[in-house]
């Protein structure tokens, strides 16, 4: 404490700015990482809680293998002694006229019919089927019995005009859609999208489905084994465990959350180099004092501990502030994006969600990460102070020769990184090995910087030898390791910025090409009405005929989406039936072998290939959910799918219609006739379909997709800017430290006859060598990291492949900025050191 009070504290008090910057660097890193963790946890907590509010906690969910359930199925189920409670459910999607959803399309509201008596019975037994729904309905469960009354959640109430007591909706019908009007009842605390709850009998009548049910939520009697009971059910029933929507969201967003968390930790990683730069500068400024206290009896171990203590104080201050700021950032993000990470766009968010999750353990983890980063950053300056020879330093001989790793160690690190990149992901779709590969590549590149500097110095030997060139060459050869230390921050920041720039540029370019292939038509039309499963309802046949005969339209191509249950996993996936000849598929793999006998051709996306093993040529069984027909399918190719991360299939429309007997059309692609404008086609379609259809031009869909893409990756641009700013300041601080340590050397050179301008030229040559090495190394490392991101991380995380695209202009700007900053920082630091009188500097040395 005595040394701290009389040695460290006065130095910090005289230079508070640098210490404050180090604290801010740690604070920002911890705040971003902790805030992202809290936001992710709040999103999952809210989504799972909202889902439980409607679905409750049934043991099993009973559906029909084909078609709907009936009231007779409910009676049969209730007569079974193993069943303790059963809640019948009927659902529908209604169009909300006058409301506009994302992309300017019509907005739908989900309507659910529940049995209030079943809810009361399950609640009385202590096992509520809808734990949060039942008490939240104003007036209690009995209020659900009111006819023609809908109880709305917060997301739906946000869309109501002020003072509204009635809600007008449009439901799909067998032929013509039906308009209904419902009185607005109480509130329900469930779901993040517009939702309304009705009495089931009222819902069946309104939906035109009297006597039919979509599902029955079942609670078994105590002691009944669900697996054994399911095995004894009639073949017409299908009983499955309830879908854990919280777990499903967790799986669906795991890759997004992991990547976002690692991007946030990047700020802490680069911030550690800033801490290193600040402590290195402080060490260089106090080198004579460190040597003096060493002569006075302070041991090398005590000096080492004191530097680590300085780093620990910076880490403690930055971590404490970062944890507090992280809570604030998460709360602000909840207000800005909503508790669902923007997945639905209509949610009632509250900062209280942050405290409905465990906080102590995550706070300790991120605090430990912040402290570890600062202590590692302080380790190099601490070792430098420990290794100084006090007598030599007092004579002005500067810092001791730094230790360096041999070139083969850097090459070995690069080899380890390249090997790790080939390993598969863990925990589903998390590319842990790929991120470890990127870390080893960075460390290997840092280790090779001295060798690169020495190589560039060797090239100078072929130039005509002059005094300045000879001095620069010899110093660069002897101090190559110091170049690695001074350039570490900007090298890492530049490498990460180059990698992210190439990855984003490659992704955007690939997305644009994919959109051109996936959207070949000029205009797309589909029904604004949705079925209970959320899929657009079929367009009326008269409308299809009228659309195909419009003078503005040259040709049309129908399309529909169905649901297919995979026999291998029982998972329900999307099956799109379309005219394959209407537009080329964005294929990444193609089956060139013979077609298997008795199979239908399907094309699968990359998620189906990676998750379900549906590789080209593979034959598998599937069952149409609507209709229950079994299909024998063969994979004929794999197509690129940037619209989803889960399994999806395409099939030729003619094959689907022959296999299913379904001749409906849910979506129609229109190609304009020569000389016809898009606006005239829109007007003609609107006159025919009215509000029951929604349409989008291919150009609008492309623009919307690119807008979403740019918004999604905007945070990476800011993270690149932060990383570069931190890295550049690290260069400035490191070069300042080196220049201060060389003050007596400069004085001696001035005394020997070199002018100040000549010394500045010497610094320019040295800085160009080290800065050029850093810029080249950062570019090479960045390109290597981008290969891992493009060809490993993205396919493993999101099942999206892409082609490499190099944005040359942006890369040149990044490398030029890094080089200019390194050279400018060296010149600025040298100018300060050269400002001292040469004779005085030599006298200090004497």
């Amino acid at each position: 404490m005595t040394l701290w009070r009389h040695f460290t504290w006065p130095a910090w008090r005289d230079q508070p700015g640098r210490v404050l910057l180090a604290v801010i660097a740690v604070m920002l890193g911890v705040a971003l990482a902790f805030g992202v963790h809290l936001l992710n946890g709040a999103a999952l907590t809210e989504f799972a809680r909202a889902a439980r509010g409607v679905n409750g906690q049934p043991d099993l969910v009973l559906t029909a293998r084909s078609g709907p359930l009936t009231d007779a199925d409910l009676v049969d189920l209730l007569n079974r002694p193993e069943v303790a409670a059963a809640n019948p459910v009927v659902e529908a999607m209604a169009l909300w006229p006058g409301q506009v959803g994302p992309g300017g399309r019509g907005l739908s509201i989900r309507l659910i019919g529940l049995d209030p008596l079943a809810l009361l019975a399950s609640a009385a037994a202590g096992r509520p089927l809808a734990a949060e729904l039942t008490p939240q309905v104003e007036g209690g469960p009995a209020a659900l019995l009111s006819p023609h009354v809908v109880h709305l959640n917060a997301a739906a109430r946000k869309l109501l005009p002020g003072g509204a007591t009635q809600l007008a909706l449009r439901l799909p019908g067998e032929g013509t859609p039906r308009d209904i009007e419902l009185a607005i009842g109480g509130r329900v605390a469930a779901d993040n999208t517009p939702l309304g709850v009705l009495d089931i009998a009222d819902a069946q009548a309104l939906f035109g489905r009297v006597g039919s049910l979509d599902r029955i939520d079942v609670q078994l009697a105590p002691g009944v084994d669900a697996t054994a009971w399911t095995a004894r059910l009639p073949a017409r029933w299908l009983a499955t465990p309830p879908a854990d929507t919280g777990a499903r969201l967790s799986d669906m967003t795991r890759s997004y959350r992991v990547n976002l968390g690692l991007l946030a930790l990047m700020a802490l990683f680069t911030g550690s180099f800033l801490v290193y730069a600040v402590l290195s500068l402080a060490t260089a400024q106090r080198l004579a004092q460190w040597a003096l206290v060493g002569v006075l009896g302070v041991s090398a171990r005590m000096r080492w501990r004191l530097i680590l203590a300085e780093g620990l104080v910076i880490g403690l201050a930055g971590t404490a502030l970062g944890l507090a700021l992280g809570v604030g950032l998460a709360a602000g993000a909840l207000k800005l994006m909503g508790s669902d990470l923007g997945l639905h766009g209509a949610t009632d968010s509250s900062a209280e969600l942050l405290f409905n999750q465990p906080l102590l353990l995550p706070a300790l983890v991120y605090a430990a990460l912040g402290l570890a980063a600062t202590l590692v950053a302080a380790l190099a300056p601490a070792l430098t102070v420990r290794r100084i020879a006090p007598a030599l330093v007092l004579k002005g001989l500067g810092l001791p020769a730094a230790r360096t790793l041999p070139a083969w160690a850097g090459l070995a690190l690069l080899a380890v990184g390249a090997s790790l990149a080939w390993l598969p992901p863990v925990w589903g779709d998390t590319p842990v090995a790929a991120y470890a590969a990127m870390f080893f590549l960075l460390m290997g590149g840092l280790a090779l910087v001295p060798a690169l500097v020495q190589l560039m110095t060797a090239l100078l030997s072929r130039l005509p030898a002059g005094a300045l060139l000879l001095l620069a060459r010899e110093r660069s050869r002897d101090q190559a390791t110091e170049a690695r230390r001074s350039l570490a921050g900007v090298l890492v920041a530049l490498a990460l910025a180059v990698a992210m720039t190439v990855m984003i540029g490659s992704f955007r370019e690939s997305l644009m090409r994919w959109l051109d292939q996936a959207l070949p038509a000029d205009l797309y039309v589909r029904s604004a009405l949705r079925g209970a499963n959320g899929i657009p309802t079929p367009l009326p046949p008269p409308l299809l005929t009228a659309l195909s005969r419009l003078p503005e339209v040259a040709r049309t191509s129908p399309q529909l989406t169905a649901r297919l249950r995979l026999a291998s996993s029982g998972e329900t996936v999307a099956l799109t039936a379309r005219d394959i000849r209407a537009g080329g598929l964005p294929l990444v793999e193609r089956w060139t072998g013979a077609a298997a006998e008795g199979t239908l051709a399907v094309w699968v996306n990359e998620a189906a290939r990676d998750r379900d093993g549906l590789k080209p040529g593979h034959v598998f069984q599937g069952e149409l959910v609507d209709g229950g027909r079994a299909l024998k399918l063969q994979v004929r190719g794999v197509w690129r799918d940037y619209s989803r991360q889960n399994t999806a299939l395409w099939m030729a429309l003619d094959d689907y219609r022959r296999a299913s007997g379904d001749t409906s059309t849910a979506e129609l692609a229109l190609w304009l006739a020569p000389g016809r404008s898009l606006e005239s086609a829109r007007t003609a379609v609107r006159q025919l379909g009215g509000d029951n259809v929604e349409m989008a031009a291919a150009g609008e869909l492309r623009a919307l997709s690119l807008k979403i893409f740019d918004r999604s990756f905007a945070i990476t641009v800011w993270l690149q800017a932060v990383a570069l700013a931190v890295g550049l300041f690290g260069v400035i601080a490191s070069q300042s430290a080196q220049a201060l340590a060389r003050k007596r050397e400069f004085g001696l050179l001035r005394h020997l006859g070199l002018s100040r301008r000549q010394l500045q030229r010497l610094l320019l040559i040295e800085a160009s060598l080290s800065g050029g090495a850093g810029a080249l190394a950062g570019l090479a490392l960045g390109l290597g990291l981008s290969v891992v991101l493009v060809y490993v991380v993205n396919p493993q995380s999101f099942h999206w492949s892409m082609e490499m695209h190099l944005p040359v202009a942006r890369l040149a700007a990044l490398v030029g900025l890094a080089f200019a900053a390194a050279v400018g920082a060296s010149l600025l630091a040298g100018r300060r050191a050269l400002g001292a009188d040469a004779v005085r500097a030599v006298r200090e040395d004497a």
Side-chain angles (χ1 to χ4, degrees):
M1 291 301 296
T2 301
L3 279 174
W4 177 272
R5 184 171 62 253
H6 295 289
F7 186 68
T8 299
W9 175 247
W12 280 22
R13 184 182 56 200
D14 295 339
Q15 298 288 339
R18 293 191 178 95
V19 178
L20 181 61
L21 283 174
V23 172
I24 291 175
V26 178
M27 178 187 70
L28 289 177
V30 173
L32 286 174
F34 188 52
V36 166
H37 172 84
L38 291 179
L39 183 60
N40 290 334
L44 296 178
T45 299
E46 169 66 4
F47 198 88
R49 186 188 71 178
R52 287 195 303 270
V54 174
N55 299 331
Q57 297 295 332
D59 297 317
L60 294 169
V61 175
L62 190 74
T63 57
R65 289 191 178 274
S66 177
L69 293 168
T70 66
D71 290 341
D73 291 315
L74 177 62
V75 174
D76 186 356
L77 188 68
L78 291 173
N79 286 330
R80 296 174 180 266
E82 302 91 347
V83 176
N87 177 35
V89 180
V90 62
E91 298 187 32
M93 296 292 292
L95 180 65
W96 195 332
Q99 295 293 343
V100 179
R105 301 174 184 174
L107 182 67
S108 296
I109 179 172
R110 181 186 175 202
L111 299 178
I112 299 180
L114 300 174
D115 185 358
L117 299 179
L119 298 181
L120 284 171
S122 62
R127 297 177 64 196
L129 276 165
E132 297 187 25
L133 175 63
T134 303
Q136 289 292 338
V137 176
E138 295 178 1
L144 287 173
L145 293 171
S146 303
H148 287 65
V149 174
V150 60
H151 307 273
L152 302 176
N153 68 344
R157 287 183 172 272
K158 278 185 177 181
L159 304 174
L160 291 173
T165 59
Q166 298 289 323
L167 181 62
L169 301 174
R170 183 169 299 160
L171 290 168
E174 293 295 333
T176 305
R178 296 178 294 108
D179 292 331
I180 61 173
E181 189 168 320
L182 302 172
I184 298 175
R187 301 173 182 269
V188 293
D191 216 338
N192 294 302
T193 53
L195 170 74
V197 177
L198 306 89
D199 171 52
I200 188 168
D202 194 33
Q204 286 176 318
L206 289 171
F207 301 165
R209 299 167 55 191
V210 175
S212 67
L213 304 170
D214 288 314
R215 72 173 193 268
I216 302 175
D217 295 338
V218 180
Q219 284 181 345
L220 300 177
V224 176
D225 181 76
T227 303
W229 184 78
T230 301
R232 298 192 298 269
L233 291 178
R236 69 180 187 276
W237 287 351
L238 179 65
T240 58
D244 189 342
T245 51
R248 181 170 58 85
L249 180 70
S250 177
D251 293 338
M252 184 176 64
T253 62
R254 180 187 292 115
S255 298
Y256 167 77
R257 291 181 290 109
V258 169
N259 284 283
L260 185 60
L262 288 171
L263 284 174
L265 285 173
M266 186 179 74
L268 182 59
F269 183 59
T270 52
S272 65
F273 289 101
L274 180 54
V275 176
Y276 164 77
V278 168
L279 291 178
S280 295
L281 179 58
T283 300
Q285 288 177 323
R286 294 177 290 162
L287 198 59
Q289 291 92 326
W290 284 115
L292 180 60
V293 296
V295 171
L296 294 177
V298 177
S299 66
R301 176 174 296 183
M302 181 60 68
R303 298 195 300 269
W304 178 71
R305 289 178 177 176
L306 193 57
I307 292 290
L308 290 182
E310 293 181 7
L312 182 63
V313 171
I314 291 175
L316 287 172
T319 298
L321 294 173
L323 293 176
L325 180 60
V327 176
L329 289 176
L334 277 177
K335 293 295 183 183
L336 181 64
M337 291 196 309
S339 60
D340 58 356
L341 299 178
L343 291 176
H344 298 285
T347 178
D348 188 17
S349 304
S350 172
E352 295 178 359
L353 292 171
L354 297 177
F355 304 101
N356 291 335
Q357 55 181 310
L359 291 179
L360 179 59
L361 181 60
L364 292 176
V365 169
Y366 286 102
L369 287 174
L371 292 177
T374 52
L375 288 177
V376 170
L379 191 59
L383 291 175
T384 298
V385 171
R386 182 173 181 173
R387 291 170 43 236
I388 63 172
L392 294 178
V393 172
L394 288 176
K395 291 182 179 181
L397 297 182
L399 292 171
R403 299 175 182 177
T404 183
L405 289 175
W408 64 263
L411 294 175
L413 289 172
L414 293 179
V416 171
S419 301
L420 287 174
W422 291 92
L423 295 180
V426 298
W427 302 321
D429 302 323
T430 307
V432 175
Y435 283 115
M438 295 174 65
F439 175 78
F440 278 98
L441 290 176
L442 280 173
M443 295 301 103
L446 285 172
L448 287 175
V449 167
L452 182 59
V453 172
Q454 291 176 351
L455 176 62
M456 297 182 65
T457 303
L459 296 177
L460 291 179
S461 61
R462 301 186 179 184
L463 299 177
L468 295 182
L469 190 60
L470 180 63
L471 286 172
R473 187 175 62 197
E474 294 303 319
R475 176 166 179 81
S476 297
R477 180 182 293 114
D478 295 337
Q479 300 295 326
T481 301
E482 294 304 323
R484 182 197 65 201
R485 292 186 176 182
S486 63
L487 295 172
V490 72
L491 189 148
V492 171
L494 176 61
L496 291 172
V498 167
M500 294 303 297
T501 298
V502 172
M503 189 275 289
I504 295 173
S506 300
F507 201 169
R508 200 177 194 279
E509 186 71 18
S510 299
L511 175 63
M512 293 173 64
R513 295 175 183 175
W514 178 81
L515 289 170
D516 291 337
Q517 290 183 292
L519 302 171
D522 298 306
L523 186 65
Y524 293 86
V525 179
R526 68 179 181 182
S527 173
L529 300 167
R530 299 290 186 271
N533 52 18
I535 297 177
T537 59
L539 293 167
L543 177 60
L544 293 172
T545 303
L547 289 174
S548 64
R549 295 176 178 175
L550 286 174
E552 291 83 0
V553 176
R555 64 187 179 98
T556 63
S557 177
Q559 177 176 305
L560 63 88
T561 301
R563 295 178 299 163
L564 180 75
R565 184 178 293 114
L566 300 179
S568 57
S569 62
E571 180 185 3
T572 300
V573 300
L575 173 65
T576 299
R578 57 173 290 181
D579 184 0
I580 302 299
R581 299 166 298 178
L585 299 181
L587 293 179
V588 293
E589 293 184 48
R590 189 187 304 269
W591 172 247
T592 57
E597 184 178 356
T599 61
L600 295 175
V602 292
W603 290 261
V604 304
N605 63 356
E606 293 175 285
R609 177 198 61 192
D610 299 339
R611 292 180 174 177
D612 299 304
L614 302 182
K615 298 181 180 180
H618 181 71
V619 177
F620 64 101
Q621 299 288 334
E623 180 186 8
L624 292 174
V625 175
D626 301 320
R629 298 194 182 187
L631 303 177
K632 186 178 180 182
L633 308 169
Q634 183 183 29
V635 179
R636 299 290 179 85
V638 179
W639 52 281
R640 184 168 293 161
D641 182 11
Y642 289 149
S643 61
R644 57 176 69 85
Q645 292 176 242
N646 50 346
T647 298
L649 290 77
W650 278 356
M651 176 186 286
L653 183 61
D654 293 339
D655 288 345
Y656 173 80
R657 285 178 172 173
R658 282 194 300 267
S660 65
D662 182 5
T663 60
S664 64
T665 297
E667 182 176 312
L668 196 65
L670 310 178
W671 281 262
L672 298 182
R676 299 290 183 168
S677 68
L678 181 63
E679 289 306 317
S680 64
R682 282 180 177 276
T683 302
V685 172
R686 183 62 66 192
Q687 289 175 350
L688 291 174
D691 294 335
N692 296 327
V693 298
E694 56 188 22
M695 66 190 93
E700 294 172 345
L701 294 174
R702 291 188 187 96
L704 178 62
S705 300
L706 292 176
K707 180 180 179 181
I708 294 173
F709 177 89
D710 293 337
R711 187 175 61 213
S712 301
F713 282 94
I715 187 174
T716 63
V717 177
W718 288 104
L719 286 173
Q720 289 179 58
V722 171
L724 277 176
V726 170
L728 294 177
F729 180 82
V731 170
I732 295 173
S734 298
Q735 295 290 354
S736 298
Q738 292 296 315
L740 287 172
R742 297 174 63 187
K743 184 174 65 172
R744 292 185 179 88
E745 176 190 340
F746 293 147
L748 179 60
L749 292 175
R750 289 285 303 276
H751 183 74
L752 293 176
L754 291 181
S755 66
R756 184 172 179 179
R757 176 171 295 183
Q758 287 177 312
L759 288 179
Q760 289 178 343
R761 289 176 59 191
L762 174 64
L763 284 174
L764 177 61
I765 296 173
E766 294 177 358
S768 299
L769 282 172
S770 60
L776 290 177
L779 177 62
L781 275 179
L783 293 177
L785 296 179
S786 67
V787 171
V788 178
L789 286 174
V790 170
Y791 294 115
V792 181
V793 172
N794 271 285
Q796 289 185 359
S797 295
F798 307 106
H799 306 286
W800 293 337
S801 63
M802 64 186 75
E803 293 87 13
M804 180 76 78
H805 173 72
L806 298 180
V808 178
R810 296 187 63 182
L811 293 179
L814 286 173
V815 174
L817 176 63
F819 177 76
V823 174
S826 180
L827 292 178
L828 179 62
R831 185 176 182 180
R832 292 181 56 193
L834 292 174
D837 183 74
V839 176
R840 183 180 303 171
V842 175
R843 288 177 178 175
E844 289 177 2
D845 188 36

